Amino acid sequence: MLQAIKEGKIDCVVVKDLSRFGRNYIETGIYLETIFPFRNVRFISVEDHYDSIYATESEHFELSLKNMYHDLYAKDISKKIRSVLEIKRKEGLFLGNSAPFGYKKSKQNPYQLEIEEETAAVVREIFKLRMSGMGVVKIAKLLNDKGILSKNRRRYERGELKGTNGESNALWSGSSVLGILENPVYCGNLVEKKSEYHNKLSKKEWNLIKYTHEPIIDQKVFDQIQDLIQYKRSKKKENTEKFNTENILKGIVICGECHGKMTRSSGYLTKTNYLLRYHYNCRRKYIKYKGCKNRSILEEDLKLAVLQSLKIQFFVMLNLKDITVFEQRQVLDEKGVFHHLYQRYRKGQLSKEEYILEKRNRKERYQNQIKEKEKEFRENIDRRNEILQFLQNNSFSKELCKMFIKQIIVYQNYIKIYYTFCCELDIKKRR
C-alpha cells in the first residue's frame, strides 16, 4: 500500500479505527502528520469519526492522543502475553505452531506432544546413522535418495505451508539433519527459552524442562551424539583456525543451474597442515543422488574474475565527470511513455484532466528517479579513495563487495555479475 502511495496510485486510506493502521506512536504519527499530507493522501478512520480533509485542530490533537494510547495499550498487552507464555513454558507445555519432526500435537491437548510413528522412525534412523560414523551431509543425501520428505516438504504436502519460500521442493540438508541431532526434544525434554531480547542464548544457558513428553531417543544415545558433534567441531576449528580466511563473497554467490545459494567449503589441508584452497559449491549438489549438476568453482578463480570485472567498472566510473549519462537514459525512456500517454489522449481514452494529471505524476516520478540515481552515483564517487586503493593493491574487502556487488551467478562455463550501481559500459553500447 505504501509503495502504491509513493507511485501516486492511492490518494485515500480508510481504516476501521486508528489501531488498525498502526500501534507504534512515533511511526504512525510520521505517516499521519508528515508523509500523508506531503503526498496529498486523505486519511479516514471510521469509528474515530476522523477525516483528515475536514478535521479541526482539536480533532487532530485528539487523534494524536488516541495514537499514544494505542501504543501504550499494545505494549501492555504484549508484556502480559509474554508473562503468560513464560509460565506455560515453565510448566512444560509445547507452544510452537507446528510439532517437531517425529512428533504431532495431541488432539486432546494441543500443548502436549505425541510420537508420530512414521516420522519418528526417520529420526531414529538419523541417530543410528550418525552413531555409525556417517556425516550429516551423507545422511541428508541418503534420505533424499530414499524419497523421504523433509519437514517443510511434508508440511507443504499437508497444506500447512504455501510454498512461497521453496517448501514445495525442500530437501534434506546437512544443517536440517544436524538440527534434529542437537534438539533435546527427542529425548523427552523441552527448552524453556533459547533467546532473550532477540539474542540467542548458548546451550549452557538453556533451561531444560525434563520429561515433558515421551522420548524417541534414549538420553545416553543423545549425550553420546552431542559429545561426537562437539569433538568434530573442536577438531575442525583446531585444523582451520590458524589458516582460515575471511569469506568475502559470502551470501552473494548463486548457482546458475538451480538458483540456490553456493556456499564456501571449509577448505582442506595438505599433509603438512598448509591450507591449500577453498571451493564454492551448490548446496544442492551433494544432498541428492541426482542433485544439481553445476560444478564447484575455486574461490581464487572466482575472485580473480570479480577483480578483473570490478577494475573495468571502476576505471569507467572514475573517468565520468558528471551525472548526465543517467539523465539522458531516463529522458529516452520517458519520451516513449509521454508519447504513449498523448496517443491515448488523442484517441479519447483519457480526458484532458486525466492526461495532464497522469503526465504530472509521471514527471514527478521521473524527477525522483533521477535524484535517486544521482544520490546513488555520488555515494559511489565518494568512495573514490577506497576504489583507488583497491586498484593499486589488486585486492578487495567484504565491505567493498557488499557496497558494489549485488549478486554473482555461477553457470557451468561462465559467470554473471550484477552490480549495485549502473553499468556505464552497457549504457554506452545502447547508444
Side-chain angles (χ1 to χ4, degrees):
M1 183 186 74
L2 296 174
Q3 184 61 34
I5 287 172
K6 290 177 183 177
E7 293 172 0
K9 296 177 181 177
I10 292 177
D11 60 4
C12 181
V13 175
V14 183
V15 295
K16 179 188 173 187
D17 61 62
L18 186 61
S19 67
R20 297 298 92 201
F21 178 71
R23 293 189 178 184
N24 182 296
Y25 168 66
I26 297 174
E27 188 178 355
T28 306
I30 290 171
Y31 278 108
L32 296 181
E33 296 173 20
T34 306
I35 296 176
F36 282 3
F38 176 75
R39 297 277 181 183
N40 293 320
V41 175
R42 181 180 180 182
F43 180 77
I44 298 172
S45 177
V46 178
E47 292 194 357
D48 294 312
H49 306 290
Y50 177 85
D51 187 334
S52 61
I53 290 181
Y54 305 108
T56 62
E57 285 297 323
S58 61
E59 285 175 329
H60 281 305
F61 180 69
E62 184 182 343
L63 195 74
S64 297
L65 291 177
K66 284 183 178 179
N67 187 17
M68 188 182 294
Y69 167 76
H70 290 314
D71 192 338
L72 294 172
Y73 177 76
K75 288 177 180 176
D76 182 53
I77 288 293
S78 177
K79 185 178 177 182
K80 288 176 180 176
I81 290 173
R82 281 200 305 270
S83 63
V84 170
L85 292 177
E86 193 173 341
I87 292 170
K88 287 185 176 181
R89 287 193 191 97
K90 286 180 178 178
E91 291 174 352
L93 301 179
F94 179 77
L95 304 176
N97 290 326
S98 63
F101 187 83
Y103 285 99
K104 61 182 178 181
K105 290 183 178 181
S106 170
K107 291 182 179 179
Q108 289 75 28
N109 181 5
Y111 300 117
Q112 184 65 42
L113 293 177
E114 292 179 350
I115 291 178
E116 185 182 57
E117 282 304 329
E118 185 184 353
T119 50
V122 180
V123 173
R124 294 188 189 100
E125 182 69 11
I126 288 172
F127 276 85
K128 183 181 176 182
L129 291 170
R130 190 67 190 96
M131 281 293 287
S132 69
M134 187 179 286
V136 291
V137 174
K138 286 186 177 179
I139 294 173
K141 182 178 181 297
L142 183 65
L143 295 175
N144 290 324
D145 291 342
K146 285 183 175 182
I148 297 171
L149 302 183
S150 64
K151 179 183 176 180
N152 281 346
R153 177 67 183 276
R154 186 176 289 274
R155 290 185 66 197
Y156 173 78
E157 297 286 342
R158 291 176 176 175
E160 296 174 13
L161 296 174
K162 295 180 180 178
T164 54
N165 294 315
E167 297 93 350
S168 57
N169 60 353
L171 295 173
W172 287 96
S173 64
S175 58
S176 59
V177 171
L178 187 62
I180 286 178
L181 291 171
E182 292 187 302
N183 196 338
V185 75
Y186 295 111
C187 48
N189 306 323
L190 284 178
V191 180
E192 180 199 337
K193 189 162 48 175
K194 291 185 179 180
S195 61
E196 193 170 45
Y197 303 111
H198 304 291
N199 296 319
K200 286 186 177 180
L201 300 174
S202 66
K203 288 184 181 180
K204 293 179 181 178
E205 298 175 285
W206 287 1
N207 183 22
L208 280 179
I209 311 297
K210 294 189 174 183
Y211 316 121
T212 57
H213 54 273
E214 187 180 353
I216 295 175
I217 302 299
D218 184 72
Q219 183 69 52
K220 289 182 180 179
V221 174
F222 183 81
D223 292 338
Q224 286 175 350
I225 291 291
Q226 303 318 299
D227 292 340
L228 180 61
I229 292 171
Q230 193 58 42
Y231 171 76
K232 290 288 184 182
R233 276 184 180 154
S234 60
K235 198 71 178 173
K236 182 179 177 182
K237 188 177 180 182
E238 182 185 325
N239 286 337
T240 59
E241 199 171 42
K242 296 177 184 177
F243 310 102
N244 193 29
T245 58
E246 187 179 20
N247 187 1
I248 292 173
L249 304 176
K250 184 178 181 180
I252 60 174
V253 185
I254 307 297
C255 175
E257 300 299 315
C258 69
H259 310 295
K261 280 193 176 181
M262 297 186 79
T263 54
R264 191 177 80 156
S265 64
S266 57
Y268 59 91
L269 305 166
T270 61
K271 292 179 181 178
T272 56
N273 277 345
Y274 179 76
L275 185 62
L276 191 61
R277 50 182 48 166
Y278 291 96
H279 283 85
Y280 276 93
N281 305 302
C282 178
R283 293 174 66 184
R284 291 176 173 266
K285 186 176 179 68
Y286 301 108
I287 59 173
K288 197 174 182 183
Y289 177 67
K290 291 184 179 179
C292 179
K293 298 299 182 183
N294 203 359
R295 300 173 185 173
S296 61
I297 184 170
L298 277 171
E299 183 189 41
E300 57 202 70
D301 292 343
L302 184 58
K303 286 172 74 174
L304 180 62
V306 174
L307 185 71
Q308 291 172 343
S309 180
L310 273 174
K311 272 188 175 183
I312 295 169
Q313 295 299 324
F314 287 159
F315 274 126
V316 174
M317 184 185 288
L318 292 173
N319 289 329
L320 291 175
K321 295 180 180 179
D322 55 42
I323 200 70
T324 55
V325 67
F326 291 114
E327 293 185 28
Q328 288 170 10
R329 187 179 67 157
Q330 290 287 349
V331 167
L332 288 173
D333 293 341
E334 288 297 317
K335 277 183 180 179
V337 173
F338 289 143
H339 178 72
H340 177 66
L341 274 176
Y342 181 68
Q343 290 299 319
R344 289 179 63 193
Y345 166 58
R346 282 191 63 185
K347 291 176 182 178
Q349 295 175 351
L350 293 174
S351 66
K352 186 177 180 179
E353 291 76 16
E354 287 173 332
Y355 169 68
I356 293 170
L357 181 63
E358 185 64 24
K359 189 175 179 181
R360 187 190 303 153
N361 289 337
R362 286 185 181 274
K363 208 164 188 176
E364 283 179 9
R365 291 202 294 274
Y366 154 64
Q367 292 294 340
N368 289 335
Q369 286 172 359
I370 294 255
K371 287 177 183 178
E372 286 175 8
K373 287 290 183 184
E374 287 177 353
K375 183 182 176 183
E376 180 184 330
F377 183 81
R378 289 195 180 107
E379 283 175 356
N380 291 334
I381 292 299
D382 287 342
R383 291 284 184 173
R384 186 184 182 90
N385 292 333
E386 194 171 346
I387 293 170
L388 288 171
Q389 190 177 0
F390 156 78
L391 293 172
Q392 290 169 1
N393 298 338
N394 264 346
S395 63
F396 50 97
S397 64
K398 192 172 184 177
E399 290 71 29
L400 198 73
C401 282
K402 190 176 180 181
M403 187 181 306
F404 291 110
I405 299 176
K406 193 178 290 182
Q407 224 174 48
I408 301 168
I409 302 182
V410 179
Y411 294 90
Q412 289 277 5
N413 301 310
Y414 66 98
I415 67 170
K416 277 186 179 180
I417 302 172
Y418 292 89
Y419 297 98
T420 55
F421 57 89
C422 206
C423 180
E424 305 306 327
L425 290 176
D426 287 345
I427 292 172
K428 289 180 179 180
K429 285 176 187 175
R430 288 176 202 163
R431 294 177 187 173

